[in-house]
Amino acid sequence: MNSAKSVLVTGGAGYIGSHACVELLQAGYRVVVVDNLENSKFEALKRVQEITDKPLTFYQVDIRDHASLADVFAKEAITSVMHFAGLKAVGESCELPLKYYHNNVYGTIVLLQVMAEANVKQLVFSSSATVYGTNPQVQYTEDLPIGAVNPYGRTKAMIEDMLRDLSAADAIKPSQSPWKIALLRYFNPIGAHESGRIGEDPNGIPNNLMPYVTQVAIGKLAQLSVFGDDYPTPDGTGVRDYIHVVDLVKGHIKAIQALQTEKFAAGGCKAYNLGAGKGCSVLEIIGTFEKITGRKVNYSFAPRRAGDLPEYYANPALALQELGWQVEKTLEDMVADTWLWQVNNPQGYN
Ligand code: NAD
Ligand code: WQD
């Protein structure tokens, strides 16, 4: 174990954060997690340690609690931060916008203040393709304008702006340890660890397609509503770029490594798309699911969901060029791993 490489993982007990902890531990990093467990269970971190046979350090801390967070930095020799902590439900963010701005934006401000005080200035941030808003182009490149269309998306866009401003301030007032920041814009993460021990465990009725499909297939939910059959897409249903969560977190390891290379020697803040680079429709997801699992997915067509775009997917060329990262797993892998997690854990972590 290399004690010089200690990564603080905010939101490490969550869906993506727990998979990141596995990859970090397997890559030889020391892992310190802070999570308030608002949308996760400590059980996930127990299983991370089981899978890797390595320990991690956990603090049940809210990132908005400056004193407690500073205490973690004082106790642990943190060298860089992966920042996953945040709320992510688009619908809830429309009903309770201040909850989202307070958690995501204010929480990140506190984290950045504490990092600056501790002189820890390497950060990988969980951004989202949602920051592209509505765009006439369906394949997104990082240079497209930002324009989120809901409060959740705006929290991500605001945080990106703050991080770019922090980095720009280094150029005005050069610092010996400039900020080194990777903004990772995720497309649609699905799937689970191949062990079937950790995966996505949504509270209540899922909002997202994949957990909904699995709960229909296992009989927990009666029927999937396919939102829209009249989009200008090949089969009329919505098209997205689905990415296996393990591929996604491998992109984070590549990013944290890149921050330590010559490219970031003078600091900087750079955005990268993490996606497969191809679109897949709702009906293709259902078809692949039925083929892999042998289960029927009951569905019926319903009206379009407000705020949904017909089609978008990533251009992931920059991540390949600069981080040496690209997806390795197929849609079949994503479905098979999701299904193994669901069958082995019908009640999630409960
Ligand atoms: P998740 O809800 O499973 O994980 C987030 C974790 O952060 C949870 O464990 C939660 O308890 C914790 N948390 C929330 N607020 C906190 C706070 N104030 N202090 C400490 N801990 C806090 O979500 P996820 O799917 O793993 O998403 C991780 C990150 O990736 C989020 O920032 C999300 O916005 C972003 N993201 C997710 C997706 C997706 O589809 N899952 C897509 C794009 C971006
Ligand atoms: C995928 C497709 C739906 C559910 C959301 C957030 C985004 C990002 C990822 C965080 C769409 C269709 C869905 C259902 C359906 N999160 N669908 N029936 O909307 O692309 O992205 O998660 O950053 O910000 O908005 O993902 O899984 O909800 O939908 O037909 O019951 O499945 O219309 O075409 P989405 P999703």
Side-chain angles (χ1 to χ4, degrees):
M1 195 163 5
N2 185 349
S3 61
K5 294 191 294 176
S6 294
V7 179
L8 179 77
V9 183
T10 75
Y15 170 44
I16 303 170
S18 57
H19 288 81
C21 290
V22 169
E23 281 316 305
L24 283 165
L25 289 168
Q26 285 177 340
Y29 291 89
R30 209 172 74 82
V31 171
V32 178
V33 170
V34 296
D35 199 304
N36 64 0
L37 301 181
E38 167 159 1
N39 196 36
S40 54
K41 307 245 167 30
F42 178 69
E43 176 65 21
L45 293 174
K46 275 195 1 215
R47 296 188 186 188
V48 165
Q49 296 174 91
E50 250 174 60
I51 292 168
T52 58
D53 199 20
K54 290 182 177 176
L56 57 71
T57 306
F58 173 64
Y59 293 90
Q60 185 168 353
V61 161
D62 191 302
I63 57 165
R64 292 166 292 186
D65 178 347
H66 190 124
S68 300
L69 197 57
D71 206 37
V72 174
F73 277 80
K75 284 195 186 119
E76 307 288 344
I78 307 293
T79 49
S80 42
V81 175
M82 281 190 191
H83 178 30
F84 297 97
L87 301 174
K88 61 168 182 177
V90 173
E92 189 191 47
S93 81
C94 297
E95 283 164 42
L96 301 169
L98 292 183
K99 180 176 173 186
Y100 276 68
Y101 290 116
H102 194 258
N103 199 352
N104 296 5
V105 179
Y106 175 66
T108 302
I109 292 174
V110 173
L111 172 68
L112 295 170
Q113 286 171 336
V114 172
M115 287 177 68
E117 286 156 17
N119 201 30
V120 175
K121 292 185 161 178
Q122 295 186 29
L123 176 71
V124 175
F125 171 62
S126 298
S127 189
S128 167
T130 191
V131 299
Y132 292 113
T134 49
N135 228 297
Q137 222 166 303
V138 293
Q139 188 174 30
Y140 294 164
T141 46
E142 290 83 352
D143 55 0
L144 285 175
I146 297 301
V149 293
N150 56 62
Y152 163 71
R154 277 189 278 277
T155 68
K156 292 293 176 187
M158 282 181 190
I159 294 167
E160 282 206 2
D161 278 338
M162 272 184 345
L163 294 171
R164 276 186 287 269
D165 286 344
L166 258 189
S167 181
D170 281 330
I172 299 166
K173 193 171 169 235
S175 154
Q176 281 193 326
S177 58
W179 286 94
K180 300 178 179 184
I181 301 168
L183 311 172
L184 302 184
R185 295 178 179 159
Y186 311 166
F187 282 69
N188 286 56
I190 59 171
H193 190 262
E194 63 183 7
S195 63
R197 295 289 290 153
I198 57 172
E200 189 171 11
D201 182 18
N203 272 331
I205 296 177
N207 298 309
N208 295 114
L209 178 64
M210 197 54 162
Y212 208 108
V213 167
T214 57
Q215 293 196 12
V216 170
I218 207 167
K220 248 172 121 174
L221 294 170
Q223 193 177 56
L224 171 75
S225 293
V226 175
F227 299 139
D229 63 353
D230 57 353
Y231 282 116
T233 57
D235 63 20
T237 65
V239 167
R240 296 290 182 273
D241 184 338
Y242 296 92
I243 171 172
H244 196 296
V245 65
V246 172
D247 276 337
L248 181 77
V249 298
K250 284 185 174 163
H252 291 62
I253 307 279
K254 293 283 192 183
I256 218 160
Q257 288 167 346
L259 296 183
Q260 280 148 27
T261 62
E262 195 51 34
K263 178 173 171 46
F264 277 91
C269 176
K270 192 98 201 250
Y272 298 96
N273 287 339
L274 295 187
K278 61 178 190 331
C280 169
S281 74
V282 176
L283 290 183
E284 280 177 79
I285 290 277
I286 295 172
T288 308
F289 200 91
E290 290 183 335
K291 185 183 84 187
I292 295 285
T293 66
R295 296 279 180 120
K296 182 98 197 77
V297 178
N298 290 324
Y299 72 87
S300 66
F301 290 112
R304 295 178 180 190
R305 184 172 65 178
D308 272 356
L309 291 174
E311 174 176 18
Y312 62 86
Y313 50 93
N315 179 333
L318 193 67
L320 177 60
Q321 195 187 318
E322 295 194 3
L323 306 179
W325 173 89
Q326 61 187 337
V327 298
E328 290 166 0
K329 295 188 184 272
T330 63
L331 187 59
E332 282 76 11
D333 297 329
M334 301 183 215
V335 168
D337 292 339
T338 304
W339 187 236
L340 182 67
W341 154 253
Q342 176 70 64
V343 168
N344 288 352
N345 304 273
Q347 305 305 327
Y349 291 112
N350 282 324

